Amino acid sequence: MRTLSGMRPRSTMAKAKTAPRPSATHSSGAKPSGLGHAAHEIRIIGGVWKRSKLKVLDKPGLRPTPDRVRETLFNWLGQDLTGWLCVDAFAGTGVLGFEAASRGAKQVLMMEQDAELVAQLTDSKIRLKATAVQVQRGDAVQGLQRAAVGSLDLVFLDPPFEGELCAPALQAAAQAVAPGGWVYLEAPVLWRDEQLLACYLTVERHLKAGAVHAHLLKKRA
């Protein structure tokens, strides 16, 4: 399997579609039994692993993106991600990355700093036999900065809301995504086109779900 440095950009991207509005959001993680208490589970909602469960750890700051938000996002993306090269930064449970792989993504790199969440991601990868998924422990922004320019089709960004990571994560993701590619961002505030000019990103879709703003951003050619 190719690493990020070997990824090549795709020339054709799925067109965003209009979809119904959802409710509350945020993607984050879980850990396997023996590493802590799993508060609940979430389900993959589409693709080959539809209805498969992922554990969610009872841990401050973990806010898994709920079913209706993910359904809307993948309606926007067109559902079929066959052949796409993706990164799930700040992966947590990895639910967004596993949704992408379930829908045919060729490669999904999951980046997460928390050791317990990395263990859960690895456990989920093994259990699902998700050969397209790679799990990497480390800083998501630095990982995106190391990616080859224009090498990705889609990056999921769901950084901790209490930090100041949105701007550097957006800059790194925009550099890594090919023209015509996508960045999905969850943030506590709305990002507008004028704030994204330097990143060559535009807001294609936006929804507010509770306190969370979910954005689908497109890389300009």
Side-chain angles (χ1 to χ4, degrees):
M1 184 176 292
R2 291 181 294 169
T3 61
L4 281 177
S5 61
M7 290 181 175
R8 296 179 180 175
R10 289 169 57 81
S11 58
T12 304
M13 312 301 299
K15 293 184 178 179
K17 298 182 179 180
T18 304
R21 289 187 177 182
S23 57
T25 67
H26 198 83
S27 69
S28 232
K31 57 186 176 182
S33 58
L35 291 179
H37 174 63
H40 60 282
E41 296 175 319
I42 52 176
R43 293 177 184 270
I44 297 171
I45 60 171
V48 296
W49 301 320
K50 185 176 181 179
R51 300 188 183 90
S52 297
K53 296 179 181 179
L54 301 173
K55 294 179 182 178
V56 179
L57 183 67
D58 185 8
K59 189 172 183 178
L62 302 188
R63 299 180 299 271
T65 305
D67 291 3
R68 291 181 63 197
V69 175
R70 282 180 279 126
E71 181 178 10
T72 297
L73 169 60
F74 285 95
N75 282 339
W76 287 346
L77 291 169
Q79 295 292 342
D80 184 5
L81 273 58
T82 298
W84 287 32
L85 303 176
C86 309
V87 166
D88 186 357
F90 312 98
T93 58
V95 65
L96 291 172
F98 283 119
E99 291 279 7
S102 184
R103 290 165 166 81
K106 184 176 183 178
Q107 182 171 322
V108 179
L109 175 61
M110 297 184 178
M111 293 189 282
E112 173 59 55
Q113 279 193 316
D114 188 296
E116 293 176 333
L117 301 183
V118 169
Q120 177 60 52
L121 290 169
T122 302
D123 179 76
S124 298
K125 166 185 163 66
I126 293 170
R127 179 169 49 83
L128 293 171
K129 299 180 181 178
T131 56
V133 171
Q134 298 177 358
V135 178
Q136 175 180 301
R137 185 181 181 189
D139 182 274
V141 174
Q142 292 179 6
L144 287 169
Q145 289 171 342
R146 290 193 296 267
V149 174
S151 62
L152 300 175
D153 299 305
L154 172 62
V155 174
F156 300 106
L157 293 179
D158 190 8
F161 284 5
E162 64 275 11
E164 299 292 334
L165 291 172
C166 277
L170 278 169
Q171 291 169 359
Q175 177 178 285
V177 169
W182 305 101
V183 176
Y184 172 69
L185 171 69
E186 291 187 10
V189 297
L190 171 63
W191 283 72
R192 301 183 184 277
D193 283 342
E194 54 267 29
Q195 297 170 282
L196 298 164
L197 284 175
C199 297
Y200 296 93
L201 296 170
T202 58
V203 181
E204 291 291 306
R205 296 287 190 272
H206 166 262
L207 64 87
K208 188 175 186 295
V212 176
H213 292 265
H215 313 68
L216 183 63
L217 312 175
K218 189 171 186 178
K219 176 74 173 289
R220 300 198 306 272

